[in-house]
Amino acid sequence: MPVWVRLRCGLDPRALAALAVVLVAAGAFAAVHFWSARPHSVRAPDPVAEAGAVRTPPLVAEGAGTPEPSSGPAPAAGPGGHVVVDVSGKVHRPGVRTLPSGARVTDALRAAGGVREGTDLSGLNRARVLVDGEQIVVGAPPEGSAPGGTGGAAPGGGGSPPAGPVSLNSATADQLETLPGVGPVLAQRIVGYRAQHGGFRSVDELREVSGIGDRRFADLRPLVGP
């Protein structure tokens, strides 16, 4: 160190050496602190699949696989899953037949030995499901139809009203369909009510059948009887 510096500061060599050591140490500390505080890039963590994720079931198209509602109550069945019907008229073996529940008119005709040759079946719905306790008349014109007619009006009450009262206790479903406003479903309900309650004691009981309101009852009352 120059002599003029030592004389001016009034420091001896040992003090100056200690001061130099302090300065060097301070510079080293500052360098280390600057180096450690410098900005550096950080690697992003790998994405982790969420544990226990709930799987959403695939959406089902609206209306796909949905059963259509029934157009009416199920046909009345007898005990043990069978129906008992009376087949009469132009068949080979008329009488009472016991058939499985869900059988149709054509099954009852087959159980009765088949229809006689030349019998007109245009007025008989052979695809109709049987109801326990009903009677199937083969070859006879619907009750109240005019002589020489074709066997009654078309189902659904589309033809003219019958000439005489239709018996609620003995008329078949096909004969009931000749009444105005009575279609296949309503005719089956009337026959089912008759089988369930042991017949109609009065015409007023027709109000108890589902689908017959005050207006329809007023139209049917003069055309039917017990």
Side-chain angles (χ1 to χ4, degrees):
M1 184 173 290
V3 177
W4 64 272
V5 174
R6 288 183 291 174
L7 293 175
R8 189 176 181 85
C9 296
L11 300 175
D12 56 17
R14 288 181 296 181
L16 290 175
L19 179 60
V21 171
V22 172
L23 293 175
V24 171
F29 177 79
V32 172
H33 180 73
F34 175 78
W35 181 261
S36 62
R38 80 186 190 285
H40 57 280
S41 61
V42 179
R43 182 174 178 272
D46 297 332
V48 180
E50 184 179 356
V54 179
R55 294 183 178 181
T56 304
L59 296 177
V60 180
E62 182 178 358
T66 303
E68 296 183 359
S70 173
S71 59
H82 293 80
V83 291
V84 179
V85 296
D86 181 14
V87 185
S88 61
K90 297 180 180 181
V91 292
H92 291 287
R93 295 193 303 271
V96 177
R97 297 288 182 265
T98 301
L99 299 170
S101 178
R104 300 179 183 271
V105 172
T106 185
D107 300 319
L109 299 179
R110 189 180 302 111
V115 180
R116 295 179 185 176
E117 186 177 355
T119 303
D120 183 13
L121 298 178
S122 59
L124 186 64
N125 182 7
R126 287 168 285 176
R128 178 174 54 80
V129 179
L130 296 173
V131 178
D132 185 56
E134 74 167 287
Q135 182 185 36
I136 303 172
V137 181
V138 181
E143 184 176 344
S145 62
T150 59
S160 59
V166 175
S167 174
L168 296 175
N169 290 323
S170 61
T172 64
D174 292 331
Q175 293 168 345
L176 291 171
E177 290 179 28
T178 64
L179 296 169
V182 178
V185 174
L186 187 54
Q188 290 291 340
R189 292 177 183 174
I190 295 174
V191 174
Y193 180 91
R194 180 177 67 196
Q196 184 178 1
H197 295 82
F200 289 87
R201 289 177 293 274
S202 68
V203 177
D204 291 337
E205 286 189 36
L206 197 59
R207 292 176 179 267
E208 304 298 328
V209 179
S210 176
I212 297 181
D214 294 339
R215 183 174 180 180
R216 182 165 295 175
F217 176 76
D219 294 338
L220 295 176
R221 185 170 188 175
L223 303 177
V224 297

